[in-house]
């Protein structure tokens, strides 16, 4: 573990503002040391049989299961997620660790016949080297698992730079990996800030893979700064996810889905429903029920059993969310409820609903990352799909309808990496690809089999056992007869 930096920073409890723990602020020199250790460890780790690497992940999953109560409790304090959701976050890491542990006995490649006699062909996945993983605070256990477990089972070593808001959870995560039997040096952690430790990792010549989850703006910087070394860059960026509610929808079910997707995790999911595109035939009814539901949600300390909405991550987040309330008002949208911080300790913001929003307004275009959602009225299915697609992001989408034809058209036409039918925009499971189209990413996916592509290089192997030189594309093809 790299703990050599002189400067420090504090991790705060977002409900109270109290200091949880002080962490070293890693520098470029710390990153250098961490990479050197991970690079040296790679020489041996890449040779450990993949099923053995998978067994370590199974033990890690078991340890996460045992420690789920204490990790969830710590998450309510360091990140502010409410209890049930904190449990879900840890569970997602457990699921992913079991899933990727199983990959140790798969990691399938292909075999295929050769065009030549007595020749064998196959493709295999090879580890790439040291992976630089930069993770966000909003899923402080799940997302490190999404990135580290596939990286490790594929035979890579890792330098992890967790978000500066949740360093203690990341530290615990890495400790548990070692407790599970990970050999020394295979995972290194550096702490601190993107401009310092993060950037040093992104530019480091001995880190051929960068996996980053965070904002679109930082994703662009990561891409540029990794370009000189032509790294593999995997990006999981923002969303402006829309729920479509059609005139034939079960409105009560839709309202439940919206409340959960828009205000769960205080709206701080990249999959959060920050837009609701509503057919005018149900617009009044939906507004009424949604506002009633939002105003009933219990705001409070996240570690208390009945709290539904906890704090947002820090003061900067409260200010950003509130600035969008002001933007929405100035754009002429109608504030139905919320729109203010909760007075007292901590970083709390009320669930906020804007109505009469035009799809082009800034509150309908830009990622707010807080408990704010925008209702956009439409007159038809076609208009709804057009509005849903009118953003630069493409992570998640959903439609509430009882019409199977509309459901299938939506599955085809919504330009997002994830589409839900009759459910909100959140709740992805670990064994399907997770990620977005358009500017939510750069074409890669986490989770499921797709994640393996980020952390491996394909190698194609040809074995000729004919005992003679055989030239593909030539010796087995009849040559044209020349006239001369
Ligand atoms: C994120 O917000 O970065 O589908 C991830 C979901 C969760 C993961 C969200 N399983 O909402």
């Amino acid at each position: 573990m790299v703990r050599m930096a002189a400067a420090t920073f504090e991790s705060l409890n977002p409900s109270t503002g109290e200091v949880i723990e002080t962490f070293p602020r890693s520098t470029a020199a710390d990153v250098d040391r961490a990479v050197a250790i991970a690079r040296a460890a790679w020489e041996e780790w890449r040779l450990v049989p993949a099923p053995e690497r998978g067994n370590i992940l199974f033990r890690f999953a078991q340890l996460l299961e045992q420690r789920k109560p204490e990790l969830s409790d710590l998450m309510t304090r360091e990140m502010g997620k409410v209890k049930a959701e904190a449990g879900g976050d840890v569970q997602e890491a457990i699921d992913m660790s079991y899933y990727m542990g199983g990959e140790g006995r798969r990691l399938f490649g292909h075999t295929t016949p050769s065009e030549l006699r007595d020749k064998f062909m196959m493709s295999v996945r090879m580890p790439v080297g040291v992976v630089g993983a930069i993770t966000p605070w909003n899923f402080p256990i799940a997302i490190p698992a999404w990135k580290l477990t596939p990286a490790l089972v594929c035979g890579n070593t890792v330098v992890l730079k967790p978000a500066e808001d949740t360093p203690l959870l990341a530290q615990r995560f890495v400790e548990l990996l070692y407790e599970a039997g990970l050999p020394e040096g295979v995972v290194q952690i550096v702490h601190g800030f993107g401009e310092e430790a993060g950037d040093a990792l992104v530019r480091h010549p001995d880190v051929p893979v960068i996996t980053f989850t965070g904002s679109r703006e930082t994703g662009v910087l990561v891409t540029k700064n990794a370009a000189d070394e032509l790294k593999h860059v995997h990006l999981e960026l923002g969303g402006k996810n829309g729920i479509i509610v059609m005139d034939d929808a079960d409105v009560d079910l839709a309202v439940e889905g919206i409340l959960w997707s828009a205000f769960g995790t205080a709206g701080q999911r990249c999959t959060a429903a920050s837009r609701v595109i509503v057919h005018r035939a149900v617009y009044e009814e939906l507004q009424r029920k949604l506002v009633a539901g939002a105003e009933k949600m219990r705001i409070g300390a996240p570690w208390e059993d009945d709290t539904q909405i906890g704090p947002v991550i820090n003061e900067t987040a409260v200010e950003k969310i509130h600035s969008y309330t002001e933007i929405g008002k100035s754009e002429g949208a109608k504030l139905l409820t919320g729109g203010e911080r909760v007075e007292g300790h901590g970083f709390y913001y009320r669930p906020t609903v804007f109505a009469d929003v035009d799809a082009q307004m800034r509150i309908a275009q830009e990622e707010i990352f807080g408990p704010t959602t925008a209702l956009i009225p439409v007159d038809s299915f076609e208009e709804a799909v057009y509005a849903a697609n009118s953003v630069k992001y493409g992570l998640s989408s959903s439609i509430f309808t009882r019409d199977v034809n509309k459901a299938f058209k939506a599955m085809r036409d919504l330009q997002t990496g994830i589409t839900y039918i009759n459910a909100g925009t959140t709740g992805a499971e670990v064994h399907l690809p997770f990620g977005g189209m358009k500017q939510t990413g750069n074409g890669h996916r986490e989770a499921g089999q797709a994640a393996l592509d980020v952390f491996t290089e394909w190698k194609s192997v040809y074995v000729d056992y004919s005992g003679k030189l055989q030239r593909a594309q030539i010796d087995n093809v009849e040559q044209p007869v020349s006239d001369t």
Side-chain angles (χ1 to χ4, degrees), residues 388-424:
N389 288 339
S390 299
V391 288
K392 58 174 170 266
Y393 298 110
L395 182 53
S396 184
S397 59
S398 106
I399 182 166
F400 283 87
T401 179
R402 290 184 171 110
D403 179 342
V404 69
N405 296 350
K406 290 201 176 73
F408 270 86
K409 283 183 183 150
M411 287 181 235
R412 183 192 61 196
D413 295 339
L414 289 169
Q415 293 162 359
T416 54
I418 305 167
T419 293
Y420 291 89
I421 308 298
N422 292 323

Side-chain angles (χ1 to χ4, degrees), residues 86-331:
D89 191 313
V90 178
Q91 189 59 45
E92 201 157 339
I94 295 168
D95 296 344
M96 188 63 93
S97 303
Y98 278 124
Y99 180 80
M100 288 299 169
E103 272 308 316
R105 289 188 185 272
R106 289 187 297 268
L107 287 178
F108 294 135
H110 297 103
T111 60
T112 184
S114 168
E115 65 190 42
L116 295 162
R117 283 174 191 251
D118 298 331
K119 191 175 171 189
F120 177 83
M121 294 166 44
M122 65 184 163
S123 63
V124 289
R125 289 185 181 276
M126 304 299 285
V128 195
V130 180
V131 170
I134 303 177
T135 54
W137 47 264
N138 72 329
F139 276 81
I141 294 289
I143 292 183
W146 289 13
K147 296 189 185 305
L148 269 63
T149 62
L152 292 172
V153 80
C154 290
N156 304 282
T157 57
V158 181
V159 177
L160 168 65
K161 204 299 277 176
E164 63 272 21
D165 289 292
T166 51
L168 185 54
L169 285 158
Q171 189 84 36
R172 292 273 181 276
F173 181 92
V174 173
E175 285 164 10
L176 287 180
L177 274 171
Y178 281 109
E179 207 178 314
L182 196 70
E184 208 45 53
V186 169
V187 170
Q188 297 292 303
I189 186 165
V190 291
H191 287 294
F193 299 88
E195 311 81 65
E196 214 169 357
D199 195 49
L201 195 53
V202 166
R203 293 177 191 268
H204 202 293
D206 290 336
V207 179
V209 184
I210 295 292
T211 170
F212 168 78
T213 297
S215 72
R216 180 191 170 280
E217 290 63 36
T218 309
V220 171
L221 272 181
V222 166
T223 307
K224 286 185 180 158
N225 295 346
D228 285 339
E229 298 286 335
L230 293 171
K231 300 187 178 199
H232 299 196
V233 177
H234 159 258
L235 300 173
E236 190 47 59
L237 310 175
K240 193 69 193 174
N241 314 295
I243 293 180
I244 296 174
V245 184
M246 288 310 299
D247 47 353
D248 60 12
D250 176 339
V251 175
D252 291 320
L253 179 63
V255 167
E256 273 189 70
I258 297 163
L259 289 170
W260 172 235
S261 305
F263 304 133
T265 328
Q268 304 169 107
R269 291 191 188 213
C270 50
T271 51
S274 51
R275 301 183 298 150
V276 183
I277 299 152
V278 192
H279 196 284
R280 269 187 221 278
V282 293
Y283 189 51
E284 289 302 322
E285 180 189 357
L286 184 126
Q287 283 185 56
R288 189 167 32 79
K289 292 180 170 168
L290 185 60
V291 169
E295 290 177 353
K296 262 206 267 172
M297 291 185 94
R298 287 181 298 276
I299 301 175
W303 49 88
E304 279 162 15
D305 279 335
D306 61 349
T307 301
Q308 290 171 297
I309 299 203
V312 296
I313 191 69
N314 53 33
E315 182 60 31
T316 312
V318 177
E319 283 163 19
K320 178 178 174 195
I321 294 160
H322 192 64
S323 77
Y324 274 100
T325 297
E326 297 301 332
I327 290 167
K329 285 190 207 160
S330 71
E331 287 179 307

Side-chain angles (χ1 to χ4, degrees), residues 30-109:
D30 297 322
V31 170
D32 238 0
R33 273 187 287 271
V35 172
I37 295 168
R39 181 71 184 74
W42 185 61
E43 291 303 340
E44 170 52 26
W45 180 244
R46 72 189 179 88
L47 302 178
V48 172
E52 229 178 276
R53 296 194 297 248
N55 286 343
I56 296 174
L57 297 182
F58 289 142
R59 285 198 292 277
F60 177 59
Q62 287 166 345
L63 286 174
L64 285 171
E65 277 175 330
Q66 282 165 22
R67 310 285 165 80
K68 186 174 168 182
E70 72 194 60
L71 284 171
S72 308
D73 184 66
L74 176 61
M75 201 181 300
T76 64
R77 291 166 206 281
E78 193 181 37
M79 182 271 163
K81 203 173 272 203
V82 301
K83 223 168 165 179
E85 291 184 38
D89 191 313
V90 178
Q91 189 59 45
E92 201 157 339
I94 295 168
D95 296 344
M96 188 63 93
S97 303
Y98 278 124
Y99 180 80
M100 288 299 169
E103 272 308 316
R105 289 188 185 272
R106 289 187 297 268
L107 287 178
F108 294 135

